[in-house]
Amino acid sequence: MTRPREVKAPGIGRPPLSLRIRLVLGSAALIALAAILIGVVSVIALQGFLIDRLDAQLPSAANRSQGALDKRDGQVGQQRPPARDFLAVPGQSAGTIAGLISSSGDVIAGVLGDKGASGPLTEEQRATLAALPITDEPVTVSLGGDLGDYRIIVSSDPTTGDSLLVGLPLSDVRATVFQLTMLVVGIGLLAIAVAAVAGAIAVRFALRPLERVANTATRVSELQLDRGAVALAERVSLDDADPRTEVGQMGSALNRLLEHVASALTARQASEDKVRSFVADASHELRTPLASIRGYAELTRRGGHEIPDDVAHAIGRIESESVRMTGLVESLLLLARLDESAPVEHRAVDLSRLLIEAVGDAHVAGPDHEWELELPDDAVIVNGDSARLHQVVANLLANARIHTPAGTSVTASLSTTGDRAIIEVRDTGPGIAEELQAKVFERFVRGDSSRSRAAGSTGLGLAIVSAVVESLGGTSSVSSEPGNTVFRVELPTVARQ
């Protein structure tokens, strides 16, 4: 059974190399490849040259040995000469091998020492020489031991039927080639190191324009572009936006993109300003007719006139709906003012007292819930608008009361951490769906059936909480799971004198 191939997810495993490292490694690899090629060619060429020069010396050495042998053979009664007679001749260099191979395969050979004396060969070395073919072309033979490799030429003497062999050592060639190899390796490593350092410096300077473009993009990515007026003034400099270079093409494209984004943000802000202005104007204009409707409905209900029950019910519904619509209009008007960054009153507010009053009001409004209050021993003072902060706490408590069933425990707590005051409203209700938690502070967002709007929720209470808290320099958040929903508000405290 074939096992399925494992596929790694992006970002798992070895981290990718940066462009700078890849460029430096690439340049170093190219230089290393060039150094290897040059070194190999140089070593091979030198070795070939030295061997050719050694081969050119072999015929001269053979002629000298042959001359000594002919002179010896010319003497009457002289038997086959010993090896020293054709080795110790003028002009032969130390390490030269010379010898005779008889037609029967016997080998008389020796090696010329440093002091001109001939030395014997071993049986294995003579056997190796006896097996050499008779040819005028030099061959490389490994004799082992202290002798090593030799270039040997074997020529036949048609008069006697014997063969003369002469060999020159390859030790000097091998030593020269080894020295050149070490020199090439050392120079190559030094060149690679120097190239890596120089390449790193050069790449660093070459990538500076790209880094500046990336820094511009990073600064833009850190801007809050999702809301409010945005002054998108970040641009790539003209030097880094020259379209004649690759980096300049990227910088120019980024500048064009930023221009389009700035235009889109300007258009979005203009549209939002129009909507906010319309909401503010409409809310302001609706306050008077709603007050009139409510007033006339209340006047009719209290006028003492005999009216049918269904009409009385309808008038009561008109009055209650006008009250609800008035609250909705007031909430929209407040949000519009906060959106326009309207100044918020900043006075010392005792949050402990504020929570006591808000929880008391919530207890009256929701007697079927269990209300608890947790306060620190010392008073917690923040700088803000008392009415708006009371509205924040009241909205959080009303949210817990409206969206949880009877008997739910709701706890309002106040604490401090450093220079921050923390207000938490915790309930043991069914909780908020996970997909709604990220947008629960947005306008007109309502929960599902488990947190229904049976009591007439407008979906603006938590939006007002978020807007007021942000205007006072604080933050608001929520965490929820079945049986434990916590709304958390943090506000900067006033330093104690």
Side-chain angles (χ1 to χ4, degrees):
M1 180 178 180
T2 304
R3 297 180 61 185
R5 185 179 61 179
E6 295 182 358
V7 179
K8 292 185 177 181
I12 298 178
R14 186 181 64 182
L17 297 177
S18 65
L19 177 60
R20 179 181 301 174
I21 295 178
R22 293 202 299 269
L23 289 175
V24 172
L25 292 179
S27 60
L30 290 176
I31 294 176
L33 180 60
I36 292 174
L37 291 176
I38 294 174
V40 170
V41 171
S42 300
V43 169
I44 293 176
L46 177 63
Q47 179 173 314
F49 170 76
L50 294 178
I51 291 177
D52 289 343
R53 189 175 67 175
L54 195 64
D55 291 345
Q57 296 172 1
L58 279 174
S60 299
N63 290 335
R64 287 192 290 270
S65 294
Q66 184 66 45
L69 184 61
D70 293 341
K71 182 178 180 180
R72 181 74 179 182
D73 290 343
Q75 298 178 5
V76 179
Q78 177 65 41
Q79 295 179 354
R80 180 171 296 170
R84 65 175 179 271
D85 289 346
F86 43 85
L87 275 173
V89 294
Q92 298 289 53
S93 59
T96 301
I97 288 178
L100 285 175
I101 303 175
S102 66
S103 57
S104 61
D106 296 332
V107 178
I108 302 174
V111 57
L112 186 63
D114 294 336
K115 297 181 179 180
S118 61
L121 299 178
T122 64
E123 291 293 335
E124 294 180 357
Q125 292 170 344
R126 287 199 298 269
T128 301
L129 295 176
L132 293 177
I134 300 174
T135 176
D136 292 333
E137 295 295 330
V139 295
T140 300
V141 179
S142 178
L143 297 179
D146 297 334
L147 297 182
D149 295 340
Y150 268 76
R151 292 289 287 180
I152 297 177
I153 187 173
V154 181
S155 57
S156 176
D157 187 350
T159 303
T160 61
D162 297 335
S163 300
L164 175 68
L165 65 88
V166 177
L168 295 177
L170 285 171
S171 57
D172 291 342
V173 174
R174 297 282 191 259
T176 303
V177 171
F178 178 77
Q179 291 177 359
L180 177 62
T181 302
M182 293 298 100
L183 182 62
V184 169
V185 170
I187 294 177
L189 293 177
L190 180 60
I192 293 172
V194 172
V197 174
I201 297 174
V203 168
R204 182 173 183 178
F205 279 100
L207 292 182
R208 279 186 175 179
L210 185 59
E211 291 179 355
R212 291 193 292 268
V213 173
N215 291 335
T216 300
T218 300
R219 290 193 298 271
V220 173
S221 67
E222 294 172 351
L223 296 176
Q224 297 293 333
L225 305 179
D226 57 335
R227 55 183 175 177
V230 179
L232 190 57
E234 292 288 348
R235 294 292 186 277
V236 179
S237 65
L238 294 179
D239 293 337
D240 298 332
D242 189 348
R244 293 174 295 181
T245 65
E246 289 79 2
V247 176
Q249 293 173 4
M250 179 181 296
S252 178
L254 181 58
N255 278 346
R256 292 195 300 271
L257 175 62
L258 294 178
E259 291 289 345
H260 294 318
V261 172
S263 300
L265 291 175
T266 301
R268 184 214 67 186
Q269 185 60 32
S271 177
E272 289 185 359
D273 290 341
K274 290 180 181 179
V275 172
R276 289 169 182 165
S277 177
F278 168 76
V279 171
D281 294 341
S283 300
H284 182 74
E285 294 297 330
L286 285 173
R287 296 171 72 185
T288 300
L290 285 174
S292 300
I293 293 173
R294 180 182 177 184
Y296 282 117
E298 185 176 355
L299 178 61
T300 303
R301 180 172 56 83
R302 295 182 179 182
H305 303 288
E306 291 291 339
I307 56 177
D309 292 340
D310 56 345
V311 175
H313 175 73
I315 293 175
R317 291 299 302 153
I318 291 173
E319 184 179 354
S320 63
E321 288 300 311
S322 65
V323 171
R324 193 180 72 83
M325 289 186 65
T326 300
L328 175 60
V329 167
E330 292 293 343
S331 297
L332 289 174
L333 187 58
L334 173 59
L335 288 173
R337 289 173 178 173
L338 292 174
D339 288 338
E340 293 175 355
S341 300
V344 180
E345 183 180 1
H346 287 276
R347 292 183 181 179
V349 179
D350 185 351
L351 290 182
S352 300
R353 181 175 180 179
L354 188 146
L355 257 69
I356 292 174
E357 296 174 352
V359 172
D361 296 340
H363 187 275
V364 173
D368 52 351
H369 284 63
E370 297 179 4
W371 302 94
E372 297 182 11
L373 180 61
E374 298 176 358
L375 297 176
D377 296 333
D378 299 328
V380 179
I381 308 299
V382 298
N383 195 17
D385 188 327
S386 178
R388 296 290 174 247
L389 287 174
H390 187 280
Q391 188 175 10
V392 166
V393 178
N395 284 356
L396 292 177
L397 295 173
N399 180 75
R401 173 176 55 83
I402 294 172
H403 298 294
T404 57
T408 301
S409 176
V410 181
T411 303
S413 63
L414 176 63
S415 61
T416 58
T417 300
D419 60 347
R420 309 287 284 184
I422 301 174
I423 301 173
E424 288 187 347
V425 175
R426 184 188 310 268
D427 68 67
T428 58
I432 305 173
E434 184 176 356
E435 63 271 11
L436 290 177
Q437 294 181 28
K439 55 183 180 179
V440 72
F441 290 102
E442 297 178 7
R443 300 171 191 184
F444 302 107
V445 173
R446 301 184 181 90
D448 54 14
S449 58
S450 64
R451 300 176 71 90
S452 65
R453 55 170 300 188
S457 172
T458 63
L460 294 177
L462 295 180
I464 292 176
V465 169
S466 178
V468 172
V469 171
E470 287 186 8
S471 68
L472 297 176
T475 59
S476 55
S477 60
V478 63
S479 62
S480 180
E481 59 183 17
N484 186 29
T485 298
V486 181
F487 283 89
R488 180 186 180 98
V489 169
E490 295 188 18
L491 294 168
T493 58
V494 176
R496 296 181 180 271
Q497 300 296 330

